[in-house]
Structure formats: C-alpha cells, structure tokens
Amino acid sequence: MNINEKLATIQTKFKSKKSRFNSFGKYNFRSAEDILEATKPFLLELGVSVTISETLISTDPFPILESKATVTDGQSNAIHATAVVGIDLDQKGMQMPQKFGSASSYGKKYALGNLFLIDDTQDSDAVNTHGKKSAPAKSKIASSNDAAYDKAVQYIQGGGKLEAIKQKYELAPNVEVALQKL
C-alpha cells in the first residue's frame, strides 16, 4: 500500500468525537489533541506517523503562523497539508503566550483537518453565531406526499394564509402553486 492509499484509508475510517465544550459559545468542538488521539490506531496498523510543524511566516503587520500536518511512511514518502492563521495582538483578555497558543492550536487543528479531510460543517466555527441570533432552518415541503403538505392544506382550508406557511416552510414551486389554488 503506498502513502496515498494509507492516507485514504485514514481519511475514510477516521472518527473523532467533539469531546470538548465551549461554555461561552455553547458548542461542542474537537481539538488538535483529539484528532491526534483518533489517528493513533492507524499509525502501527498502516506503518505511518503524523507530525505537525509550525513556522512564523510573517510579522508585519501582525504575526502569521503556518501550521503543517504531515503523514509519512518513514521512507521518503510524505503528504502535507497546511493552515495559515494570523495572531491578533490586540485580543483583549489574553496574555501574549495565550494569543500565540490560541493561534497555534487553531492552526494545528485546521492543518490536521485539511490532511484528514475532516468535515467541520457542524463544528464550532461553522455554527458559532458569536452571540447573534440566526433564523432557524425551515422545513421543506417538496411534494404533495409530504405529511406537512396535508397539514398545510387543512390550514388553508380552515382560513389560514399561505404567507404564514411560507414563513415556516420552504415550498417546492409545484407545492406552492397547488396551495395557491385552494
């Protein structure tokens, strides 16, 4: 098995729980340490190792850190993925080591995520609204076979307005036309 096949095996079998909780933002997340822990079963099985390196690539106008995650078979075969993060020197409430450490942790996590193709669409950065309320996702009525379609019909026949349904549901064009005819 070559290094590409070994990495593909890890990418397709990889599982890492979001075992940490941010009480301020009220979301679960995984850390670089969680990701590394989840890769351990594959290391001996596939004969690979995973490393992370960091390089300060700029300091002007602010420090920029590049994190590189590498999987290698110990020969000359390696695959790398990177993440680049800026360090906010004006971040309130943090000492300088915390500012660099926070950026380092973030960069490592995303370099590993890039290497192992971790889909973080439901991770903290994807769902964190930073205190802003967002509208809940609407359910969809895609056809007259949907259970919600029958409820919508009953609602309109009972004197309800189509606009009220549209505020709660996303309607397929054919469903909207059918409801307008009621």
Side-chain angles (χ1 to χ4, degrees):
M1 189 180 302
N2 67 38
I3 191 68
N4 290 326
E5 294 167 329
K6 291 177 181 185
L7 178 57
T9 299
I10 297 171
Q11 289 170 337
T12 56
K13 293 183 177 181
F14 180 87
K15 300 276 188 255
S16 176
K17 292 184 179 176
K18 295 175 186 169
S19 61
R20 298 168 193 261
F21 182 72
N22 180 305
S23 57
F24 178 76
K26 308 258 188 285
Y27 55 81
N28 292 311
F29 68 99
R30 69 176 65 87
S31 68
E33 292 80 12
D34 295 329
I35 296 169
L36 289 170
E37 187 67 29
T39 63
K40 286 182 179 180
F42 300 106
L43 302 182
L44 290 176
E45 176 188 334
L46 298 173
V48 296
S49 62
V50 176
T51 57
I52 304 172
S53 61
E54 295 180 300
T55 305
L56 189 62
I57 59 173
S58 176
T59 57
D60 187 30
F62 53 85
I64 298 176
L65 191 63
E66 179 184 69
S67 298
K68 182 179 358 179
T70 302
V71 63
T72 181
D73 62 5
Q75 311 293 312
S76 58
N77 304 309
I79 299 174
H80 313 280
T82 61
V84 177
V85 295
I87 302 169
D88 183 359
L89 298 177
D90 297 324
Q91 177 72 33
K92 303 270 188 248
M94 287 186 170
Q95 298 295 318
M96 192 60 68
Q98 292 172 306
K99 294 174 186 179
F100 276 78
S102 175
S104 172
S105 294
Y106 189 88
K108 288 176 185 176
K109 173 183 168 180
Y110 282 91
L112 288 164
N114 291 339
L115 183 65
F116 297 125
L117 301 180
I118 299 170
D119 179 7
D120 274 346
T121 55
Q122 292 301 313
D123 204 3
S124 61
D125 295 320
V127 298
N128 186 0
T129 60
H130 301 283
K132 298 176 187 154
K133 298 283 184 195
S134 61
K138 291 181 179 181
S139 296
K140 184 170 185 166
I141 303 177
S143 76
S144 59
N145 295 328
D146 292 353
Y149 178 80
D150 293 333
K151 288 182 183 179
V153 168
Q154 290 173 355
Y155 177 76
I156 290 175
Q157 288 175 340
K161 302 287 182 199
L162 179 60
E163 290 307 311
I165 294 171
K166 289 170 64 175
Q167 287 181 356
K168 185 174 180 181
Y169 294 96
E170 180 183 338
L171 304 177
N174 61 323
V175 168
E176 185 171 350
V177 169
L179 292 175
Q180 287 172 341
K181 292 180 180 178
L182 295 177

